Amino acid sequence: MSRTRWLGGPLALWGLRRRQITALLALAVASALSEGFGVAMFLPIFELVQHGRDGAALAAQSKVWRLLTDAYGALGLPVNLVVLLTTAFGLLLLRQVLGYLRVSYGAWLQERVVHHIRVQGFANLLTADLAYAQGLGVGRALNLLTLEAQRAGSAVSVGFTLVATLAVVAVYAVLLAQVSLGMTLLSGAVILLATQLMRGSMRRSKAYGEGVAEGNARFTSWLTERLHGLRLLKLSATEDREVGQAARLSAHIRDATVKVMRLIASVDLRIEPVVVLVTFGMTYAALEIFHFDLARVGLFLFVMVRLLPL
């Protein structure tokens, strides 16, 4: 089976097409490239300020500056502070526009997935075996077609965000490697270490999230059945018992949700000191080991803070 046909299976289940995913990937890559080059422009800006705004002297010493001088010369523009700042601003502004298009298109695809799951799920329920449909129950079916469908769309959206993040990481890695391969490898190792610190929290978050989803399913199923039999409940005078059951089911959801919120807070508590230590450590390494000037130190620190999992 070809890779293209293999990809078409899961996409069809979500109600998506390959060209839609391709368009989203193109927006993500274009946004990452514009951001990367916009940030990279700060290096020649800092160097120009640091060397008394003498672009000719910098071009004689640096291949990057010679490329900049030739590129701007072909456009009939001088290489000065105003031109470099305008270029950086234009690239970052383009990144904002492309980012807006990517987020908007991603949101549309997410809701398309939710819509497809709801409609196709209901259609499958109507054509399913009657015994299966009755065993599923009204409440659980309602939960699957509403809340869980929305969660599935959110999960797809997380995948889109991950693709955009990977595109940004790849662009920054390539650009920084042109400045210093050793410092880039060290930065990558530090980012991987920071990511590893979050793996346990991510596993617990998955478990807690499953608890919330299961609790919502049970509560929705129970509540739907009770609402359908509301007249019978009033006649049987079991209000206190049913209220107690509602409290127990709702308390399970409450406790699971609080665990998720506390886990998120604990991640912030651990990762922020790590970011500070990494900033200090990378500054020391850049100055004492790799002997960077302040322009390169500033560029690397900006990228590190941008990429660390905050």
Side-chain angles (χ1 to χ4, degrees):
M1 181 182 295
S2 68
R3 183 178 301 179
T4 304
R5 290 182 60 190
W6 177 87
L7 181 62
L11 293 181
L13 290 177
W14 298 335
L16 299 176
R17 296 184 176 89
R18 283 188 294 272
R19 65 172 178 271
Q20 294 169 338
I21 301 300
T22 302
L24 186 67
L25 290 175
L27 286 173
V29 172
S31 177
L33 286 172
S34 59
E35 177 182 345
F37 283 109
V39 171
M41 285 301 300
F42 282 98
L43 181 59
I45 290 172
F46 292 152
E47 289 179 336
L48 187 65
V49 173
Q50 212 173 8
H51 290 79
R53 304 189 182 186
D54 188 356
L58 288 169
Q61 302 172 4
S62 169
K63 180 180 178 181
V64 173
W65 267 94
R66 287 194 293 272
L67 290 174
L68 282 175
T69 302
D70 293 342
Y72 283 117
L75 297 174
L77 295 173
V79 183
N80 55 36
L81 189 59
V82 173
V83 171
L84 292 178
L85 286 172
T86 302
T87 303
F89 175 76
L91 288 169
L92 293 176
L93 182 62
L94 177 62
R95 183 263 178 194
Q96 292 299 108
V97 173
L98 292 172
Y100 168 78
L101 294 175
R102 177 183 61 79
V103 172
S104 299
Y105 191 59
W108 180 78
L109 289 180
Q110 175 185 341
E111 293 307 313
R112 180 183 175 90
V113 169
V114 175
H115 168 76
H116 178 79
I117 290 175
R118 286 172 177 165
V119 174
Q120 192 61 43
F122 182 67
N124 291 340
L125 186 62
L126 292 180
T127 57
D129 183 78
L130 184 59
Y132 170 79
Q134 291 177 337
L136 183 64
V138 175
R140 186 168 292 274
L142 181 64
N143 181 72
L144 290 173
L145 295 178
T146 54
L147 182 60
E148 295 306 317
Q150 193 66 48
R151 289 179 183 274
S154 299
V156 173
S157 179
V158 170
F160 296 158
T161 303
L162 177 61
V163 169
T165 302
L166 291 176
V168 171
V169 171
V171 169
Y172 275 134
V174 171
L175 291 176
L176 292 182
Q178 305 305 311
V179 178
S180 172
L181 180 59
M183 191 68 174
T184 302
L185 294 175
L186 179 60
S187 302
V190 170
I191 292 173
L192 288 177
L193 177 61
T195 304
Q196 289 298 315
L197 293 176
M198 299 179 61
R199 289 190 64 182
S201 299
M202 293 170 65
R203 286 194 295 267
R204 291 197 299 274
S205 176
K206 179 177 181 293
Y208 294 158
E210 290 174 350
V212 173
E214 182 61 28
N216 281 322
R218 286 201 301 266
F219 185 77
T220 302
S221 178
W222 176 86
L223 182 61
T224 304
E225 292 170 1
R226 294 309 185 273
L227 291 176
H228 279 301
L230 189 59
R231 181 184 296 274
L232 181 60
L233 287 178
K234 288 181 176 294
L235 292 176
S236 61
T238 58
E239 290 90 346
D240 292 341
R241 186 182 66 187
E242 297 299 332
V243 169
Q245 178 67 5
R248 286 189 291 273
L249 291 172
S250 180
H252 175 80
I253 301 172
R254 177 201 63 199
D255 294 341
T257 304
V258 169
K259 286 181 180 179
V260 173
M261 295 298 104
R262 286 178 177 172
L263 183 62
I264 293 173
S266 70
V267 170
D268 292 338
L269 181 65
R270 291 196 302 271
I271 200 65
E272 288 185 7
V274 171
V275 171
V276 175
L277 288 175
V278 166
T279 301
F280 292 160
M282 295 301 293
T283 301
Y284 179 84
L287 293 173
E288 298 297 327
I289 299 176
F290 294 96
H291 306 293
F292 279 6
D293 56 24
L294 291 179
R296 283 172 169 75
V297 171
L299 179 64
F300 266 91
L301 289 181
F302 176 86
V303 174
M304 286 292 297
V305 173
R306 171 71 174 85
L307 296 182
L308 279 171
L310 291 174

